[in-house]
């Protein structure tokens, strides 16, 4: 008979903030989430509960009850990261651990409990360790996953144990909500007078299935051990890392490259067999006197080529200052992605795309990938918002021709001009200490800014001006003001 | 007009941007525009789209002069013969321009230097003074004032938009060499 331990983490989002040392948690505090267009409280701390606020309340109601309530929107990504960290931590209790998102873990503790001196002691030990981590938990132990989960969430004690073979008895007193059923079904059951699981035992399962659907009988069967429902442990993501420790420190660039070569061959070999590539590599060099030096390089596409790794590391390695030598090295691959195998470049296009990516990598690794960019189109009528810059690495360029004629240079902010002969546009003006005379002008093109954004709300008039000196400028004027100030917003070819 | 590949060419004057764009437009290859923030940040693709294929364009923003020259050197040296437009904020020394020239010879691409800080002795193949002029449509005067092979001259260039599939530049010799 398998034994399952379920850990329920009822206040995971609050615990995450407590662990960060958030000072707001000393008073009434709640984590909120948006649910069908309304902000609702999902987790409330003890001070909040004392003030009369409950989870599930609308934020506006809670504010009315407790004006001092402080809140924070929930952050599902970080909460999941914390849960995954706890999932790795739970390896200390049992080798078979699976996630039970969003706020639980399931451990198959068959044959493990005696190592802790019994099941109840094991639960207590897990609880004590979680308290050390500043995480609140409740634990249920039973024969099946469903029963263990139900006991953890609805059990009377912090560690509730159902003795082997006593599942049904332990569950009998728990409410039907413990069965992990949709809320509508629980309401229907309550309307029929079935509030505890014990009530369900007294009904024929065929009757229950006919009236409430098969889901109910399946859950009931799984919880009482009639249907199989095993814990399926998932292995943690493989890490692609290699380490080398040398008996004597080394310091010559050639030797360092040799070491890196071996590490890269190892890491990239493993990546290759799994048909994966990494977007980032990190190298740690531990010097005997100055400690760890971290270097990292990036790639524009997933890479598993040791040559490329060496090539990109050659610059940071040459910058490294080693006096007494280094004797510990670690190369780790990060941002692992699958590599789609493709035919070795036939034809010019594929080759050219490869060369482009190699150049982006080379430049990005020294200047920073945010400094190597391409233009992206955007539907917008405000000239300076027509084209966001995006990092060139890992993006396929797609440009959609903008509908309006624009200058090739756009000055942001526009540059003030000294008007010498007033007019619309001015007949003569000075810009960047040069004098210009208007030969021809075209305009105005009137642009109203986006009122729904916080930006300069003034209406703008743009004029295309051909000066007698030759340069073609884009003059800007705000007609809503007195219209006397002129600016150069751009320059045409 | 054909600028020799595997060389660097210099342009200066108010029309230098357009000279670089016109030269890059004739190369069917990736274009890198490298410069400091003040030169790169003002580029406007919705204006450039009339001349260049924006999807081929990569912009590289360097934060110092050293990085700027390093990036240009790497881009010119890279396999694939890129067209590299470099916004030079100040004067290049002969040594620096010689390095760029050697890099261009190795990579086989085209280097276009927009000189914003004055002209000096350099290793470039040609040097052009570029001036937009007031005429019926957009027009420029390009004067080649240095050519290593002796090919100097002056041209008046106009651009006719959308007459056929690829926009064309029309050349009219105003003062043949």
């Amino acid at each position: 008979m398998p034994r399952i331990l379920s850990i329920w983490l009822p206040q995971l989002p609050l615990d995450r903030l407590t662990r960060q040392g958030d000072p707001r948690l000393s008073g009434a505090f709640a984590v909120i989430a948006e649910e069908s267009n309304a902000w609702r409280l999902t987790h409330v701390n003890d001070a909040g509960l004392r003030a009369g606020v409950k989870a599930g309340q609308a934020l506006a109601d809670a504010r009315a009850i407790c004006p001092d309530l402080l809140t924070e929107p929930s952050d599902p990504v970080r909460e999941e990261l914390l849960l995954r960290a706890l999932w790795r931590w739970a390896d200390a209790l049992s080798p078979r651990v699976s996630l039970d998102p969003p706020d639980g873990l399931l451990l198959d503790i068959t044959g493990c409990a005696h190592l802790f001196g019994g099941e109840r002691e094991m639960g207590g030990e897990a609880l004590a360790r979680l308290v050390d981590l500043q995480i609140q938990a409740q634990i249920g132990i039973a024969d099946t996953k469903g029963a263990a989960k139900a006991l953890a969430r609805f059990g009377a004690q912090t560690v509730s144990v159902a003795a082997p073979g006593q599942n049904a008895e332990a569950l009998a007193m728990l409410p039907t909500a413990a069965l992990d059923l949709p809320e509508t079904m629980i309401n229907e059951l309550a309307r029929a007078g079935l509030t505890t699981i014990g009530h369900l035992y007294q009904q024929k399962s065929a009757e229950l299935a006919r009236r409430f659907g098969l889901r109910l009988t399946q859950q009931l069967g799984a919880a009482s051990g009639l249907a199989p429902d095993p814990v399926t442990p998932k292995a943690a993501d493989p890490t692609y890392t290699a380490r080398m420790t040398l008996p004597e420190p080394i310091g010559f660039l050639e030797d360092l490259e040799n070491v890196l070569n071996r590490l890269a061959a190892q890491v990239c070999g493993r990546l290759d067999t799994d048909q994966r590539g990494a977007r980032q590599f990190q190298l740690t060099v531990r010097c005997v006197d100055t400690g760890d030096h971290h270097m990292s390089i990036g790639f524009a596409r997933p890479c598993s080529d040791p040559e490329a790794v060496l090539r990109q590391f050659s610059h940071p390695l040459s910058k490294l200052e080693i006096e007494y030598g280094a004797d510990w090295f670690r190369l780790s691959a990060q941002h692992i992605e699958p590599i789609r195998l493709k035919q070795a470049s036939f034809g010019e296009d594929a080759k050219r795309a490869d060369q482009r990516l190699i150049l982006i990598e080379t430049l990005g690794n020294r200047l920073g990938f945010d400094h190597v960019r391409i233009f992206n189109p955007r539907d917008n009528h405000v000239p300076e918002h027509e084209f966001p810059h995006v990092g060139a690495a890992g993006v396929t360029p797609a440009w959609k021709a903008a509908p309006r004629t624009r200058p090739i240079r756009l000055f942001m902010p526009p540059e003030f001009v000294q008007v010498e002969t007033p007019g619309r546009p001015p007949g003569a003006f000075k810009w960047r200490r040069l004098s210009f005379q208007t030969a021809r002008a075209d305009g105005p093109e009137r642009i109203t800014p986006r009122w729904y954004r916080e930006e300069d709300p003034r209406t703008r008039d743009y004029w295309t001006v051909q000066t007698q000196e030759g340069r073609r400028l884009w003059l800007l004027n705000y007609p809503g003001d007195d219209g006397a100030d002129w600016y150069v917003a751009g320059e045409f070819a | 007009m054909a600028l020799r590949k595997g060389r660097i060419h210099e342009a200066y004057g108010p029309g230098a941007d357009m000279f670089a764009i016109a030269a890059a437009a004739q190369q069917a290859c990736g274009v890198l525009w490298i410069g400091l923030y003040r030169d790169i940040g003002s580029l406007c693709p919705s204006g450039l789209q009339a001349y260049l294929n924006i999807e081929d364009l990569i912009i590289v923003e360097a934060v110092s002069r050293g990085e700027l020259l390093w990036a240009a050197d790497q881009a010119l040296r890279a396999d694939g013969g890129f067209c590299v437009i470099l916004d030079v904020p100040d004067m290049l020394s002969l040594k620096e321009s010689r390095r760029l020239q050697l890099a261009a010879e190795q990579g086989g691409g085209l280097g276009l230097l927009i000189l914003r800080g004055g002209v000096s002795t350099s290793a470039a193949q040609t040097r052009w003074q570029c001036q937009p002029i007031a005429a019926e449509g957009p027009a420029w005067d390009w004067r080649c004032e240095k050519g290593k092979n002796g090919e100097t001259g002056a041209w008046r260039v106009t651009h006719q938009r959308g007459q056929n599939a690829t926009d064309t530049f029309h050349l009219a010799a105003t003062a043949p060499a």
Side-chain angles (χ1 to χ4, degrees):
Chain A
M1 180 67 83
R3 296 293 285 163
I4 312 291
L5 184 147
S6 163
I7 301 180
W8 181 42
L9 309 159
Q11 303 281 48
L12 193 67
L14 287 174
D15 294 337
R16 184 176 76 78
L17 297 170
T18 313
R19 280 164 55 79
Q20 284 173 358
D22 199 318
R24 293 173 297 176
L25 279 146
S26 51
F29 185 84
V31 172
I32 54 175
E34 198 171 12
E35 212 176 278
S36 54
N37 281 334
W39 285 96
R40 287 186 183 280
L41 274 54
T42 55
H43 299 83
V44 183
N45 72 348
D46 292 338
L49 288 173
R50 277 197 299 279
V53 187
K54 282 188 304 221
Q57 252 169 357
L59 178 58
D61 296 346
R63 283 246 173 84
I65 294 167
C66 172
D68 298 335
L69 183 72
L70 297 176
T71 57
E72 164 102 18
S74 73
D75 186 343
V77 175
R78 294 226 163 78
E79 281 149 26
E80 201 204 317
L81 285 178
L82 177 58
L83 187 65
R84 291 181 84 86
L86 289 170
W87 169 52
R88 289 195 297 277
W89 161 87
D91 270 353
L93 300 169
S94 157
R96 296 167 70 81
V97 185
S98 81
L99 283 171
D100 180 19
D103 55 359
L105 294 172
L106 285 166
L107 285 70
D108 187 341
I109 55 161
T110 320
C112 297
H114 70 278
L115 299 171
F116 296 86
E119 281 174 351
R120 194 167 288 281
E121 287 73 15
M122 182 178 188
E125 173 73 27
L127 218 52
R129 291 192 193 181
L130 281 167
V131 168
D132 287 348
L133 298 173
Q134 291 180 294
I135 287 174
Q136 303 172 47
Q138 291 202 58
I139 286 178
I141 301 176
D143 288 343
T144 62
K145 251 161 67 171
K149 274 169 74 172
L151 280 173
R153 282 159 179 77
F154 290 90
Q157 299 145 313
T158 48
V159 182
S160 313
V161 181
Q166 307 282 313
N167 250 358
E169 289 80 349
L171 288 181
M173 290 309 294
L174 300 184
T176 46
L179 276 183
D180 197 12
L181 294 169
E183 208 170 320
T184 49
M185 196 184 286
I186 291 163
N187 291 338
E188 275 179 50
L189 285 169
R191 215 177 300 145
L194 305 169
T195 50
T196 66
I197 296 176
H199 290 156
L200 297 178
Y201 293 152
Q202 294 155 16
Q203 310 299 322
K204 285 182 189 153
S205 62
E207 291 285 310
L208 286 178
R210 191 171 60 79
R211 181 149 173 195
F212 300 104
L214 275 174
R215 172 94 193 261
L216 174 62
T217 47
Q218 276 167 359
Q219 289 285 2
L220 197 59
S224 44
L226 301 175
D229 190 14
V231 171
T232 38
K234 213 176 93 187
D237 302 331
T239 53
Y240 297 94
T241 305
R243 198 177 58 185
M244 189 179 280
T245 315
L246 303 179
E248 289 282 327
I250 57 168
F252 289 117
L253 189 59
E254 205 175 303
D255 298 339
L256 288 174
E257 278 173 354
N258 246 326
V259 167
L260 181 59
N261 205 346
R262 287 202 211 171
L263 291 176
Q266 218 175 329
V267 171
C268 292
R270 257 184 284 158
L271 283 170
D272 239 2
T273 44
D274 293 355
Q275 294 201 355
R276 286 162 191 244
R279 293 278 298 273
Q280 204 184 4
F281 285 86
Q282 194 172 25
L283 177 69
T284 307
V285 176
R286 187 171 295 165
C287 292
V288 285
D289 51 341
T290 49
D292 285 1
H293 299 272
H294 302 282
M295 286 162 270
S296 83
I297 56 159
F299 286 96
R301 67 218 146 132
C303 165
S304 68
D305 176 17
E307 292 288 316
V309 176
L310 281 179
R311 194 168 53 231
Q312 300 296 349
F313 265 123
S314 66
H315 171 70
L317 266 187
S318 65
K319 280 276 165 89
L320 187 66
E321 281 180 22
I322 294 184
E323 212 163 317
Y324 291 104
D327 58 358
W328 189 91
F329 305 86
R330 181 175 188 271
L331 178 71
S332 72
Q334 285 148 358
H335 300 284
I336 314 284
E337 287 174 19
I339 290 187
R340 271 180 242 104
L341 288 179
K342 58 173 187 205
Q343 193 162 6
S345 334
F346 267 141
E348 282 298 299
D349 278 357
K351 198 165 138 201
R352 198 178 291 166
D354 274 355
Q355 287 164 341
R356 175 175 177 274
L357 286 176
I358 290 174
L359 180 59
I360 290 172
E361 281 159 18
T362 314
L363 294 176
N365 273 320
R366 167 122 177 223
L367 307 177
F369 280 98
D370 52 337
H371 283 225
V372 184
R373 299 182 298 236
I374 54 173
F375 292 112
N376 234 18
R378 186 196 276 161
D379 271 333
N380 202 316
H381 68 280
V382 181
E384 63 265 30
H385 295 296
E386 265 175 359
F387 51 90
H389 290 189
V390 296
V395 180
T396 322
W399 177 255
K400 201 175 74 204
R404 290 164 287 268
T405 315
R406 292 284 178 247
I408 59 166
R409 294 262 185 202
L410 209 56
F411 303 125
M412 291 174 279
E415 294 173 9
F416 186 73
V417 299
Q418 266 177 294
V419 178
E420 301 203 317
T421 315
R424 277 181 75 75
F429 54 92
K430 261 188 169 173
W431 172 59
R432 291 189 178 173
R433 293 196 226 156
L434 295 171
S435 295
F436 293 97
Q437 308 248 328
T438 305
R440 249 189 351 262
D442 186 15
E445 180 186 348
R446 177 158 291 188
I447 288 180
T448 316
R450 302 173 294 175
W451 52 267
Y452 46 89
R453 287 289 187 87
E454 279 183 28
E455 56 186 25
D456 192 348
R458 291 178 289 178
T459 303
R460 315 169 189 181
D461 274 354
Y462 287 102
W463 298 76
T464 307
V465 171
Q466 167 76 62
T467 61
Q468 278 173 15
E469 287 71 20
R471 297 176 81 163
R472 284 169 280 277
L473 302 173
W474 211 35
L475 290 192
L476 164 66
N477 176 243
Y478 297 103
D481 300 356
D482 55 6
D485 286 350
W486 287 83
Y487 302 86
V488 175
E491 182 168 8
F492 288 90
Chain B
M1 182 188 78
L3 292 177
R4 198 160 158 195
K5 290 194 95 175
R7 296 284 188 276
I8 58 171
H9 304 268
E10 294 176 335
Y12 70 99
D17 279 344
M18 195 52 216
F19 178 82
I21 291 166
Q26 297 204 328
Q27 313 288 326
C29 64
V31 181
L32 272 94
W33 200 310
I34 305 174
L36 300 177
Y37 172 74
R38 59 165 190 225
D39 298 322
I40 285 299
S42 63
L43 281 178
C44 176
S46 35
L48 294 173
Q49 68 186 10
Y51 313 101
L52 281 176
N53 184 1
I54 302 295
E55 295 181 2
D56 285 344
L57 181 66
I58 301 174
I59 50 173
V60 181
E61 180 196 323
V63 293
S64 70
R65 185 188 152 87
E67 275 193 353
L68 185 78
L69 293 177
W70 175 84
D73 185 273
Q74 289 294 317
L76 284 169
R77 203 176 286 277
D79 289 339
F82 291 91
C83 176
V84 179
I85 304 175
L86 177 66
D87 257 312
V88 188
D90 50 8
M91 214 108 78
L92 277 186
S93 71
L94 180 59
K95 205 161 140 193
E96 287 159 341
S97 91
R98 180 93 191 115
R99 275 193 72 114
L100 292 179
Q101 172 59 46
L102 289 172
E105 276 172 31
Q106 192 184 332
L110 183 68
L112 297 162
L113 273 54
I114 301 174
L115 305 179
R116 303 206 180 276
V119 176
S120 62
T121 319
S122 78
Q125 179 78 12
T126 56
R127 184 187 305 134
W128 298 76
Q129 195 212 355
C130 310
Q131 178 71 40
I133 49 169
E136 277 305 302
W140 302 268
D141 269 346
W142 291 347
R143 202 157 63 78
C144 179
E145 57 178 38
K146 170 197 169 179
K148 272 202 172 167
N149 298 357
E151 66 284 45
T152 54
W155 287 267
R156 173 156 299 183
V157 185
T158 57
H159 176 243
Q160 296 192 345
R161 179 168 301 192
Q163 279 204 339
N164 43 21
T166 54
D167 289 353
T168 45
F169 286 93
H170 286 259
L171 302 178
T174 47

